[in-house]
PDB file of all heavy atoms in Angstrom:
ATOM      1  N   GLN A  20      -8.429  17.496  -0.706  1.00 96.00           N
ATOM      2  CA  GLN A  20      -8.669  17.144   0.689  1.00 96.00           C
ATOM      3  C   GLN A  20      -9.059  18.354   1.551  1.00 96.00           C
ATOM      4  O   GLN A  20      -9.985  18.260   2.416  1.00 96.00           O
ATOM      5  CB  GLN A  20      -7.456  16.454   1.281  1.00 96.00           C
ATOM      6  CG  GLN A  20      -7.202  15.044   0.755  1.00 96.00           C
ATOM      7  CD  GLN A  20      -8.414  14.130   1.012  1.00 96.00           C
ATOM      8  OE1 GLN A  20      -9.131  14.276   1.940  1.00 96.00           O
ATOM      9  NE2 GLN A  20      -8.580  13.121   0.179  1.00 96.00           N
ATOM     10  N   ALA A  21      -8.437  19.483   1.294  1.00 97.00           N
ATOM     11  CA  ALA A  21      -8.745  20.664   2.048  1.00 97.00           C
ATOM     12  C   ALA A  21     -10.245  21.010   1.892  1.00 97.00           C
ATOM     13  O   ALA A  21     -10.933  21.354   2.863  1.00 97.00           O
ATOM     14  CB  ALA A  21      -7.884  21.832   1.601  1.00 97.00           C
ATOM     15  N   LYS A  22     -10.764  20.858   0.647  1.00 97.00           N
ATOM     16  CA  LYS A  22     -12.184  21.129   0.378  1.00 97.00           C
ATOM     17  C   LYS A  22     -13.051  20.222   1.231  1.00 97.00           C
ATOM     18  O   LYS A  22     -14.053  20.630   1.876  1.00 97.00           O
ATOM     19  CB  LYS A  22     -12.528  20.956  -1.073  1.00 97.00           C
ATOM     20  CG  LYS A  22     -12.241  22.243  -1.829  1.00 97.00           C
ATOM     21  CD  LYS A  22     -12.693  22.145  -3.285  1.00 97.00           C
ATOM     22  CE  LYS A  22     -11.896  23.105  -4.149  1.00 97.00           C
ATOM     23  NZ  LYS A  22     -11.243  22.489  -5.287  1.00 97.00           N
ATOM     24  N   HIS A  23     -12.707  18.925   1.224  1.00 97.00           N
ATOM     25  CA  HIS A  23     -13.540  17.964   1.962  1.00 97.00           C
ATOM     26  C   HIS A  23     -13.503  18.234   3.478  1.00 97.00           C
ATOM     27  O   HIS A  23     -14.525  18.164   4.137  1.00 97.00           O
ATOM     28  CB  HIS A  23     -13.034  16.515   1.708  1.00 97.00           C
ATOM     29  CG  HIS A  23     -13.443  15.966   0.381  1.00 97.00           C
ATOM     30  ND1 HIS A  23     -14.771  15.653   0.141  1.00 97.00           N
ATOM     31  CD2 HIS A  23     -12.711  15.669  -0.699  1.00 97.00           C
ATOM     32  CE1 HIS A  23     -14.845  15.225  -1.134  1.00 97.00           C
ATOM     33  NE2 HIS A  23     -13.594  15.229  -1.618  1.00 97.00           N
ATOM     34  N   ILE A  24     -12.338  18.558   4.011  1.00 97.00           N
ATOM     35  CA  ILE A  24     -12.199  18.721   5.417  1.00 97.00           C
ATOM     36  C   ILE A  24     -12.903  20.055   5.782  1.00 97.00           C
ATOM     37  O   ILE A  24     -13.548  20.095   6.926  1.00 97.00           O
ATOM     38  CB  ILE A  24     -10.714  18.731   5.857  1.00 97.00           C
ATOM     39  CG1 ILE A  24     -10.092  17.377   5.450  1.00 97.00           C
ATOM     40  CG2 ILE A  24     -10.517  19.052   7.319  1.00 97.00           C
ATOM     41  CD1 ILE A  24     -10.657  16.170   6.190  1.00 97.00           C
ATOM     42  N   CYS A  25     -12.900  21.020   4.954  1.00 97.00           N
ATOM     43  CA  CYS A  25     -13.633  22.272   5.210  1.00 97.00           C
ATOM     44  C   CYS A  25     -15.111  22.022   5.341  1.00 97.00           C
ATOM     45  O   CYS A  25     -15.794  22.534   6.204  1.00 97.00           O
ATOM     46  CB  CYS A  25     -13.394  23.326   4.127  1.00 97.00           C
ATOM     47  SG  CYS A  25     -11.795  24.120   4.358  1.00 97.00           S
ATOM     48  N   GLU A  26     -15.627  21.148   4.390  1.00 97.00           N
ATOM     49  CA  GLU A  26     -17.066  20.860   4.461  1.00 97.00           C
ATOM     50  C   GLU A  26     -17.372  20.038   5.740  1.00 97.00           C
ATOM     51  O   GLU A  26     -18.381  20.347   6.344  1.00 97.00           O
ATOM     52  CB  GLU A  26     -17.413  19.988   3.216  1.00 97.00           C
ATOM     53  CG  GLU A  26     -17.852  20.780   2.048  1.00 97.00           C
ATOM     54  CD  GLU A  26     -17.982  19.949   0.778  1.00 97.00           C
ATOM     55  OE1 GLU A  26     -18.309  18.731   0.835  1.00 97.00           O
ATOM     56  OE2 GLU A  26     -17.704  20.490  -0.307  1.00 97.00           O
ATOM     57  N   TYR A  27     -16.529  19.148   6.025  1.00 96.00           N
ATOM     58  CA  TYR A  27     -16.714  18.297   7.202  1.00 96.00           C
ATOM     59  C   TYR A  27     -16.846  19.151   8.492  1.00 96.00           C
ATOM     60  O   TYR A  27     -17.698  18.915   9.313  1.00 96.00           O
ATOM     61  CB  TYR A  27     -15.593  17.245   7.352  1.00 96.00           C
ATOM     62  CG  TYR A  27     -15.791  16.201   8.407  1.00 96.00           C
ATOM     63  CD1 TYR A  27     -16.438  15.021   8.097  1.00 96.00           C
ATOM     64  CD2 TYR A  27     -15.334  16.445   9.718  1.00 96.00           C
ATOM     65  CE1 TYR A  27     -16.607  14.036   9.072  1.00 96.00           C
ATOM     66  CE2 TYR A  27     -15.508  15.509  10.668  1.00 96.00           C
ATOM     67  CZ  TYR A  27     -16.116  14.264  10.347  1.00 96.00           C
ATOM     68  OH  TYR A  27     -16.311  13.368  11.390  1.00 96.00           O
ATOM     69  N   TYR A  28     -15.943  20.112   8.659  1.00 96.00           N
ATOM     70  CA  TYR A  28     -15.915  20.882   9.862  1.00 96.00           C
ATOM     71  C   TYR A  28     -16.616  22.244   9.700  1.00 96.00           C
ATOM     72  O   TYR A  28     -16.658  23.029  10.643  1.00 96.00           O
ATOM     73  CB  TYR A  28     -14.515  21.168  10.374  1.00 96.00           C
ATOM     74  CG  TYR A  28     -13.852  19.879  10.846  1.00 96.00           C
ATOM     75  CD1 TYR A  28     -12.797  19.248  10.158  1.00 96.00           C
ATOM     76  CD2 TYR A  28     -14.188  19.336  12.124  1.00 96.00           C
ATOM     77  CE1 TYR A  28     -12.177  18.113  10.624  1.00 96.00           C
ATOM     78  CE2 TYR A  28     -13.562  18.159  12.558  1.00 96.00           C
ATOM     79  CZ  TYR A  28     -12.571  17.619  11.874  1.00 96.00           C
ATOM     80  OH  TYR A  28     -11.964  16.451  12.319  1.00 96.00           O
ATOM     81  N   ASN A  29     -17.176  22.456   8.509  1.00 97.00           N
ATOM     82  CA  ASN A  29     -17.838  23.702   8.202  1.00 97.00           C
ATOM     83  C   ASN A  29     -16.960  24.891   8.513  1.00 97.00           C
ATOM     84  O   ASN A  29     -17.310  25.855   9.230  1.00 97.00           O
ATOM     85  CB  ASN A  29     -19.162  23.797   9.026  1.00 97.00           C
ATOM     86  CG  ASN A  29     -20.066  24.877   8.440  1.00 97.00           C
ATOM     87  OD1 ASN A  29     -19.840  25.309   7.333  1.00 97.00           O
ATOM     88  ND2 ASN A  29     -21.007  25.371   9.255  1.00 97.00           N
ATOM     89  N   ILE A  30     -15.777  24.902   7.954  1.00 97.00           N
ATOM     90  CA  ILE A  30     -14.812  26.038   8.067  1.00 97.00           C
ATOM     91  C   ILE A  30     -14.459  26.550   6.657  1.00 97.00           C
ATOM     92  O   ILE A  30     -14.747  25.924   5.682  1.00 97.00           O
ATOM     93  CB  ILE A  30     -13.554  25.633   8.922  1.00 97.00           C
ATOM     94  CG1 ILE A  30     -12.845  24.435   8.338  1.00 97.00           C
ATOM     95  CG2 ILE A  30     -13.945  25.428  10.329  1.00 97.00           C
ATOM     96  CD1 ILE A  30     -11.606  23.982   9.115  1.00 97.00           C
ATOM     97  N   LEU A  31     -13.720  27.674   6.679  1.00 98.00           N
ATOM     98  CA  LEU A  31     -13.426  28.353   5.413  1.00 98.00           C
ATOM     99  C   LEU A  31     -12.180  27.743   4.701  1.00 98.00           C
ATOM    100  O   LEU A  31     -11.209  27.468   5.355  1.00 98.00           O
ATOM    101  CB  LEU A  31     -13.145  29.819   5.748  1.00 98.00           C
ATOM    102  CG  LEU A  31     -12.978  30.824   4.656  1.00 98.00           C
ATOM    103  CD1 LEU A  31     -14.294  30.997   3.952  1.00 98.00           C
ATOM    104  CD2 LEU A  31     -12.522  32.135   5.329  1.00 98.00           C
ATOM    105  N   HIS A  32     -12.289  27.612   3.373  1.00 98.00           N
ATOM    106  CA  HIS A  32     -11.111  27.112   2.650  1.00 98.00           C
ATOM    107  C   HIS A  32     -10.367  28.258   1.963  1.00 98.00           C
ATOM    108  O   HIS A  32     -10.980  28.993   1.171  1.00 98.00           O
ATOM    109  CB  HIS A  32     -11.661  26.147   1.547  1.00 98.00           C
ATOM    110  CG  HIS A  32     -10.585  25.609   0.672  1.00 98.00           C
ATOM    111  ND1 HIS A  32     -10.796  25.249  -0.696  1.00 98.00           N
ATOM    112  CD2 HIS A  32      -9.258  25.350   0.879  1.00 98.00           C
ATOM    113  CE1 HIS A  32      -9.671  24.758  -1.204  1.00 98.00           C
ATOM    114  NE2 HIS A  32      -8.729  24.820  -0.269  1.00 98.00           N
TER     115      HIS A  32
END
Side-chain angles (χ1 to χ4, degrees):
Q20 288 301 332
K22 272 185 208 127
H23 282 292
I24 300 297
C25 281
E26 270 170 31
Y27 187 90
Y28 290 109
N29 197 19
I30 54 179
L31 188 68
H32 179 208

